[in-house]
Amino acid sequence: MVKDGDTLTFLIESEKLSGTGVYHVDRTYDDFEWLQQHLFSQEEVSGIQGVIFPPLPVKAQVNASAKVIKQLGILGLGEWRAYCKAMETFVRQIAAHSILGKNNAVEIFLTSSDPPGRQRVRKNIFNRLSQAMEGMRKEGHKDVDEFFQTERDHNLVFTGCAKTAAERFLDVVQTEQKIAVACGHFSTALRLCVEQGEDPDKLDFSKVCVKLSEVFDSIQKNVTSVAENNVSTLGLGLDLESRYQEAEKEMLYRRTCKLVELETTRRNAEKAKPVKKAAMEEVKKAAETEFDHISGVAKEEIARLQAARVKMLQQALVQWCEKQLLTAKESADQFDQHLQAFRGMA
């Protein structure tokens, strides 16, 4: 990723599975949104409403305020290496998806020299508001399938837990960053206490101040590394978990909407007059076939996600432990050197 002022440009390298070519393209966040919008609008693809779409990370803001960071989470901290990793994960998940990866927009995104984001579809705020109002009514609709009703109940709990965990972990990282800054300030203040002259007491005091300053520099470096490790491992893992729970929630809601439509179609078929009865039965059968296919895709997606999320969180936890152990060992060696230096002064 390259940062130019407030603009972030992502350099993507990809290779066709056939081995026929390697592509290098540069993309902005608008291009990622273009890809996501095209994947969302595949209404002609059978069962698409049952797909759990890989969640696109939130748009990063350079020098984000505390309020914005609270909204954006870990990805709003300005740790660009971690943010770049999150965007790469999104692309990998899209390309590897059995349904989404076949969409022509994915190939255009990965290979076209012209940025596709300029063709962005404008979103209608009024449609979103009307859908939100309708959604409040349909979200509470009881499911006819016990599997999906249980999954909806679990998702409601997990979504809240994942969001809370990500928020609390963000608090931990921000506290570590504040401690690192405070250590840096204290180190500078200690160096200001150094006095020149030949007075032995003042010389000894100055030496102690310099050594203590070096200790706090080491503490600052250690805490900064711990915070960076937190962001790049478990922080990213919790953020992805939270976004995927929201993505599953959206899929379950789309399926519930289709269920409501199916039940309406069935009622209309029952009430239809003899002249329209045959036509309404055909409409009902088509709606039932579509709903069954969506439910089939949804079950496969849920099973895939449950296996993937365990693997993702496991990987994040293992990387977190490994990085923090390495940082702890490096810091212990450094602090041991400081301790020996102080003993040498005694």
Side-chain angles (χ1 to χ4, degrees):
M1 187 175 71
V2 178
K3 187 164 77 76
D4 182 14
D6 291 344
T7 304
L8 303 176
T9 303
F10 303 88
L11 309 178
I12 304 174
E13 177 183 309
S14 61
E15 182 177 356
K16 284 200 172 183
L17 293 176
S18 60
T20 54
V22 177
Y23 297 86
H24 297 83
V25 296
D26 56 275
R27 297 287 181 256
T28 63
Y29 194 85
D30 288 349
D31 300 315
F32 283 86
E33 285 192 320
W34 172 89
L35 174 61
Q36 186 186 53
Q37 192 68 24
H38 271 263
L39 296 175
F40 282 164
S41 59
Q42 300 179 85
E43 295 178 4
E44 74 286 353
V45 177
S46 179
I48 193 70
Q49 288 92 345
V51 170
I52 300 174
F53 289 89
L56 176 65
V58 292
K59 186 173 184 178
Q61 293 190 26
V62 179
N63 300 321
S65 64
K67 185 178 179 181
V68 171
I69 291 174
K70 191 75 175 174
Q71 293 171 341
L72 301 183
I74 282 286
L75 297 181
L77 287 174
E79 298 285 345
W80 302 123
R81 201 177 303 175
Y83 186 77
C84 189
K85 184 67 178 175
M87 297 296 275
E88 179 186 343
T89 299
F90 169 74
V91 177
R92 286 182 179 275
Q93 289 168 337
I94 293 291
H97 197 279
S98 59
I99 296 175
L100 303 179
K102 296 174 183 176
N103 189 285
N104 188 49
V106 178
E107 185 168 352
I108 293 172
F109 177 85
L110 291 173
T111 64
S112 176
S113 56
D114 296 323
R118 296 170 188 168
Q119 311 163 29
R120 276 175 65 197
V121 181
R122 289 188 179 181
K123 299 173 185 176
N124 191 318
I125 182 69
F126 298 105
N127 286 346
R128 288 212 309 274
L129 288 172
S130 62
Q131 288 169 5
M133 294 298 291
E134 183 70 8
M136 290 175 68
R137 183 179 69 82
K138 290 181 179 177
E139 270 187 356
H141 189 83
K142 187 163 179 62
D143 209 295
V144 294
D145 188 321
E146 188 177 342
F147 170 84
F148 283 104
Q149 185 61 52
T150 302
E151 190 64 25
R152 282 165 59 183
D153 294 341
H154 287 173
N155 175 259
L156 185 64
V157 175
F158 291 153
T159 301
C161 290
K163 185 178 179 182
T164 301
E167 288 175 349
R168 296 292 177 269
F169 202 71
L170 173 63
D171 291 340
V172 170
V173 172
Q174 288 185 301
T175 301
E176 288 166 343
Q177 290 176 334
K178 290 174 183 175
I179 291 172
V181 171
C183 287
H185 290 162
F186 191 54
S187 173
T188 303
L190 284 168
R191 289 188 178 275
L192 293 175
C193 296
V194 174
E195 294 186 47
Q196 302 297 327
E198 297 181 2
D199 187 326
D201 291 337
K202 287 183 178 180
L203 286 173
D204 289 341
F205 178 73
S206 295
K207 287 179 182 178
V208 170
C209 286
V210 170
K211 284 296 178 185
L212 277 175
S213 176
E214 290 173 358
V215 170
F216 275 93
D217 281 338
S218 295
I219 295 173
Q220 179 188 25
K221 183 182 176 183
N222 168 254
V223 178
T224 300
S225 294
V226 168
E228 289 174 353
N229 294 343
N230 283 340
V231 172
S232 64
T233 56
L234 189 54
L236 283 182
L238 290 173
D239 175 77
L240 186 59
E241 166 73 5
S242 179
R243 287 187 285 116
Y244 253 116
Q245 289 296 340
E246 289 290 346
E248 185 189 5
K249 182 180 179 182
E250 290 170 6
M251 181 279 287
L252 292 169
Y253 167 67
R254 289 194 300 270
R255 183 189 164 278
T256 302
C257 289
K258 282 295 178 182
L259 173 61
V260 173
E261 289 177 17
L262 174 60
E263 291 175 348
T264 302
T265 303
R266 283 172 174 166
R267 286 195 297 270
N268 291 340
E270 288 173 5
K271 297 176 183 177
K273 294 178 180 179
V275 181
K276 296 182 178 180
K277 192 76 175 175
M280 291 303 295
E281 282 295 327
E282 287 298 317
V283 172
K284 185 185 81 169
K285 285 180 182 177
E288 287 174 341
T289 301
E290 182 188 23
F291 181 73
D292 288 344
H293 191 195
I294 290 170
S295 297
V297 171
K299 283 186 177 180
E300 291 176 4
E301 288 282 288
I302 289 168
R304 183 185 62 80
L305 175 61
Q306 288 177 346
R309 62 189 286 267
V310 170
K311 186 177 179 181
M312 287 187 297
L313 278 175
Q314 181 189 44
Q315 188 179 25
L317 282 166
V318 170
Q319 289 177 346
W320 182 51
C321 291
E322 289 175 346
K323 284 199 170 187
Q324 298 297 32
L325 278 171
L326 182 62
T327 298
K329 287 175 182 176
E330 290 174 350
S331 298
D333 290 341
Q334 213 166 25
F335 292 142
D336 184 59
Q337 291 173 16
H338 288 307
L339 181 60
Q340 297 307 321
F342 268 105
R343 284 174 175 165
M345 293 170 63

